[in-house]
Amino acid sequence: MAEQPRPSRVEKVLVIGAGVSGLTTALELARVRENNKPRYTVQVVAERPADKTVSVIAGALWEFPPAVCGQHGNQLSIMRSKRWSVESYKEFQKLAQERGNGVHMAPTNFYFGIKIEDDWLEHTKMRELKKLSEDEEIQGFRRMTEEDLKKVPASFGVKDGYQLQVPAVDTPIYTRWLRDQLKQHSNVTITYGKRITDRLVPQSAKIRADWGVDAIVNCTGMGAAELAGASMVPLRGALVRVPVSRWPSRPKTAYAISKTAHQQDMVFIVPRETHLILGGLVEPSEYDTHIGKDYKPVQEMFDRNKRFAPELLKDVNLDDDDVDVIAGLRPYRVENVCVEKEYGFNIVHNYGHGGSGFSLSYGCAREAIGLLESMEGPSFRVVDLRPAAVHQHPDTYAELETPDFTTAQLDGQEVSIEQPVYH
């Protein structure tokens, strides 16, 4: 295999994956300009188009980390995610002022079965949200009153809550909007029906040569288990969809309640442009998405939402012909959300968002672009796989020559060597 020289800067990028993370990353790359010209040429490759990915099955109600679906315990990871979520909030807030993209701002009530001050994590989160609202980074923080809480059926044991104005995304409309935005950029091409398999690192040079690119961004969600060797766990979720035409005017308020971390007792009601969405199901390590109205946890989920909002859902039944169920796998990474680069191999990862793909999408995409830019300059050209002993005892290894090869064995795998620099 002929050696592929590494350029001094990244100009051509291959984005793998066409879910919300992949398309958002591609769009942000396409928008970067330098000297009034596009800075990057972008190719998107995916096995399935956007409307066939898990992204269209997402609840897509913005949430500030730590999120309910795919909660990470790593505090450094959570701090990064908070920054990404606020950046995404601002972008969605702008989009909500336009038409045709499926984004709107929804007053959302978040309820808790405890006093918030009695839980350190939730109390910290609430104080940060209050400060962000005061600083006009987000909108509409309001602590709920006793009168507000009394409106919730007593059987739910709600003891506290707050309201925010948050972005709610109609996922089929929004993913089509993302696709159409990309089509308007002459520096973007999209290829569907193509699956890249096996570890990316050992074949990075070949992939770059085959696609004519300088760098790769991995946005494959659950596919990162194969491409990056990541510890991925599927969190199966399901949503019940009810056409909003059932109501004289579209419902305006969204509701979310999760009393415990490990039981299926969530309530999730989100009004969209076309449907009212009812959720909350989180089932770790379940891969089968062929579940429907006859699946007992879905029936319990629907009944729970109907008990929570009896007036809103009084004329809605799960077996109605115009009511359907959709299911998908949230791509949860055990360690944390992964926005990282593979040093020396021209690869940036952007995956493992759990149930927060939309909430983090713009922030993660922009950080991924920053990592691409950090590859440029002299460090971009260096790959040195020698043992540390070579550096510590240079005289002993003075006769070590750089072999004329483009691959080497690393951890039992054949790895592409981009530019060996030792002589």
Side-chain angles (χ1 to χ4, degrees), residues 40-115:
Y40 297 101
T41 300
V42 185
Q43 295 186 63
V44 179
V45 59
E47 185 178 8
R48 299 185 299 274
D51 60 354
K52 301 297 183 182
T53 68
V54 70
S55 292
V56 296
I57 303 172
L61 181 72
W62 183 91
E63 188 176 7
F64 190 65
V68 172
C69 300
Q71 184 175 127
H72 296 284
N74 183 299
Q75 292 303 307
L76 179 59
S77 171
I78 290 173
M79 290 303 296
R80 295 175 75 203
S81 296
K82 288 176 178 178
R83 185 178 72 248
W84 296 330
S85 71
V86 172
E87 194 160 347
S88 301
Y89 183 106
K90 293 177 181 178
E91 189 64 29
F92 283 123
Q93 188 177 26
K94 294 176 190 174
L95 291 172
Q97 299 172 21
E98 304 172 6
R99 299 177 68 87
N101 54 38
V103 181
H104 72 279
M105 301 299 291
T108 304
N109 295 345
F110 295 93
Y111 297 106
F112 303 87
I114 55 169
K115 293 297 292 183

Side-chain angles (χ1 to χ4, degrees), residues 44 47 53 55 85 91 95 114 137 167 170 207 210 234 261 268 278 289 295 308 326 340 357 362 384 406 410 416 419:
V44 179
E47 185 178 8
T53 68
S55 292
S85 71
E91 189 64 29
L95 291 172
I114 55 169
E137 297 282 312
D170 195 322
I207 292 173
D210 289 346
F268 183 78
L278 309 177
T289 57
Y295 184 53
F308 179 86
I326 53 176
E340 303 167 7
Y362 283 95
D384 189 346
T406 56
L410 179 64
S416 302
Q419 286 260 358

